[in-house]
Amino acid sequence: MAEGMVGASRSGQWVAHFLLVIGVIVVAFPIYYVTIASTHPIQTILRPPLPLLPGDAGLANYAEAIGGGVGRIGGVGVGRLLWNTTLVAVSVAVGKIVISIASAYAIVFFRFPLRMVFFWLIFITLMLPVEVRILPTYKVMVDLRLIDTYAGLILPLIASATATLLFRQFFMTIPNELLEAARVDGAGPWRFFRDILLPLSATNIAALFVITFIYGWTQYLWPLLVTNSNSMNTIIIALRKMISFADADTPWNLVMVTCVFAILPPILVVVLMQRWFVKGLVETEK
Amino acid sequence: MATVALRDVRKSYGTNAVIHGVSIEIADGEFIVIVGPSGCGKSTLLRMVAGLEPITSGTIEIGGRVVNDLEPRARDIAMVFQNYALYPHMSVFDNMAYGLRIGGIRGAELRARVEQTAAMLELTPYLDRKPRQLSGGQRQRVAMGRALVRGPAAFLLDEPLSNLDAKLRVGMRLRIKDLQRSVGTTALYVTHDQVEAMTLADRLIVMNGGVAEQIDTPMRIYLEPATTFVAGFIGSPAMNILPAQGTEQGVLLGAVPLALGRPAPGRDVLLGIRPEDLTVAPEGEGLPLTIRAVELLGADAYAHGEIAGGGEMVVRVPGKKALSPGARVGVLPAPGLAHFFDPATGRRLP
Ligand SMILES: Nc1ncnc2c1ncn2[C@@H]1O[C@H](COP(=O)(O)OP(=O)(O)O)[C@@H](O)[C@H]1O
Ligand SMILES: [Mg+2]
C-alpha cells in the first residue's frame, strides 16, 4: 500500500527515500551526538568541535557517573533518579489510562442523569493543562502535605481529559450489536468491559501508554515545584541541577551520560510497545 | 423450549409510537416469521422479546413467565444479529463458548457442547480461527452456532441472511429450517423478504407501520389476505388491486361485467386478483388489456398492461407464450380466486 501512495515511478521513490533519510538524520543526530559526547573526557567536550566518533573515555565516564559521580553533583545517585522518574512516568501513564478508560466507559455505555454534564466537565479540563492551574494545584498539594512525595508528583499529572476523549471516540465506533450480543450471552457490565472492551482497546491502550509515559517522563515544571529534597528529583530535574551557568564548572561528560540514561527508557518503551501495536493491529482489526 | 406470548405489546420512543399493540400466542417449537417493509417495527418487536429494548406497555411471557422487566440473560433466549456481532478478538470456539462459560459450564462439557454444535454446522475445521479469517457464510454459521450451543428457550433472529449472496441465502434458509426442526426450539425470525417468510414460517406475522396486519399460516395469508396491504406484500408480483362495483351478477370493473364473487350490489369495492390467477384469452373475451411491457423470466413471463377504462394489471403467462408489447388481449380471472376489500378501511370483505 505504501509503495502505491508515494509515486510509483523510480525517481519518485528516490525522492521519497531521500526525504525520509534527511528526516531520520534530523531526528537522530542529536541523540547520536549526546551518545558520542558521553564517551569523551570533559577536556575534549569543552574544546569544540566535538569529534563525530566515539572517544575512549566511555567506560570511565559511565563508571564515574554510576559510581557516585552524579550523586556528588546532584545530591542523589543515578539509580535513585531513574527509579523516581520511572515510578512517576509509569504511574502517570497507568493512572491516566485507568481513569480515562473507566470514565469513557461510563459516558459511552451507560445512561445516567447528567451524563452530558459530566462529559463536558471532563472535556473542559482539557483547557486546563498543569501549567495553567499550577498555583491552585500547588496550594492543594501543600495543604494535603504532599510536597516531596510521590503522590504529589504523580496525582496532578494524571488528571486530564485527552485520553478520555480518545477512548470515547474509540468506544463509539464499537457496534452496538456487540454489546447486545454480550448482554444476550449473559455478560454484565463488568464482564463486557473485561472480556470484550478491554481486549479490543489493546492497541489504543498501548499507544496511549507510550504517549503518556513520555509525557510523564519529560515533565519539568511540576516536579521542579513540588519537590525540594534532592532524593525526590526526577532525572530531568537532576540534569538541570547538574548544569551550572559557568560552562567550565559543569561536568559535561557526566551530564552527557545522564542524558543517555534519561533518553534510553522512553526509547525502549517506544520500541517495545511498537511491536505490540503491530501485533494488536494484526489480531484485532475487524 | 418454551411457549412465547405477547399481549398487546406497545412501544413508543418519546411521543413517537412505533408498535401499536401486537398480540400473539406462540406454541412450543413453532417457527414464527415477522415480515414487513423496512421501518415497520419488526426489529423493535424482536428486540423487545429479547429484552434489549424496554416495552412501553403490554406483557411478554416466555415459558409461562412474564419477562417484561428481566435482562436478556435472564430470559433464556439466544439472538442472531443481522451483522452477526461476533466478538472480533475471540476464536470461533470462544465465540461459541462465551455464553456457556458465563453460565458456569467448563471443561469437558463445554468442549463437547461447542464441538457438537460446530460439527452440526460444519464449523469444526475453523474452531481456532478468528471471525475476520472466515467468509460471510461461515461467519453466519458461527452466529447460528453461538445461538444453538446454548440450547435456549427461544431463538430470535433479525434478518440473519440478508448479508449473504442469493445462492448462499437459499441454502442457509433450508438449513435454518432443518436445524430448528431438529432441535425443536421456538423461533422468532425477522425478515423483509417475503420468499424467506413464506418458506420458513409455521405462522407469519405481517407487519405494517407498527401494526400486525395479519397473523396466520403462510398459505392462508396467501389465499385470504386480511387487508390490501397484506395482499400487496405477500405474493410476487404483487396482487392486482383495482376499484370495482358490486352488481347482481358479480362485479363491474370499469365497464366490463365479471362473474366473480358477490359483493352487495351497488357497493364500491377493491377487487384483488393475483397475476397467477389470470389467464389470457383472445381479444374480445373477458377483460380487454393492452400489453405495455413484458418481463420474461424463462418459465414464466409477467405481462404488464393497461385495462380499458384505466388501471394497470399484471398477468402471468407461460414464458413460451410470452406476449409482445402493444398486443391487445382479453384476460379471464379464475372464478373463486378473487378477493374483495373495503375501499375505506382496506379490510377484506367476507
Ligand atoms: N432508538 C430509536 N429511537 C427512535 N426511533 C426508533 C429507534 N429505533 C427504531 N426507531 C423507529 O422505529 C421504527 C421501527 O424501526 P425498526 O424496528 O428498526 O424497523 P424494521 O426492523 O422493521 O426495519 C422506525 O420508524 C424507526 O425509525
Ligand atoms: Mg430491522
Side-chain angles (χ1 to χ4, degrees), chain B residues 56-129:
Chain B
T56 307
S57 71
T59 47
I60 297 179
E61 279 179 17
I62 298 176
R65 181 172 59 133
V66 176
V67 296
N68 285 16
D69 299 320
L70 295 185
E71 267 287 292
R73 60 180 144 167
R75 298 188 181 201
D76 193 20
I77 44 99
M79 188 148 172
V80 178
F81 295 86
Q82 180 169 4
N83 64 4
Y84 315 141
L86 302 177
Y87 309 123
H89 58 296
M90 291 187 196
S91 66
V92 170
F93 184 95
D94 289 335
N95 262 282
M96 288 170 54
Y98 189 56
L100 293 177
R101 283 200 177 111
I102 292 176
I105 294 165
R106 295 284 143 95
E109 190 194 348
L110 177 85
R111 181 150 285 278
R113 277 175 74 171
V114 173
E115 280 172 358
Q116 190 198 345
T117 309
M120 237 156 68
L121 291 160
E122 285 153 47
L123 286 170
T124 310
Y126 312 112
L127 281 175
D128 291 330
R129 292 213 196 159

Side-chain angles (χ1 to χ4, degrees), chain A residues 168-179:
Chain A
R168 173 180 177 265
Q169 291 315 108
F170 170 66
F171 288 169
M172 294 205 316
T173 67
I174 288 184
N176 202 29
E177 284 85 353
L178 216 53
L179 169 66

Side-chain angles (χ1 to χ4, degrees), chain B residues 309-328:
Chain B
E312 305 219 342
M313 189 168 255
V314 182
V315 186
R316 186 177 77 178
V317 292
K320 289 183 187 132
K321 291 194 196 162
L323 301 162
S324 43
R328 292 158 156 278

Side-chain angles (χ1 to χ4, degrees), chain A residues 180 183 185 195 283 285, chain B residues 47 71 87 89 98 132:
Chain A
E180 295 181 339
R183 281 178 71 192
D185 265 344
D195 296 345
E283 286 199 345
E285 200 186 7
Chain B
R47 292 161 50 80
E71 267 287 292
Y87 309 123
H89 58 296
Y98 189 56
R132 77 194 138 73

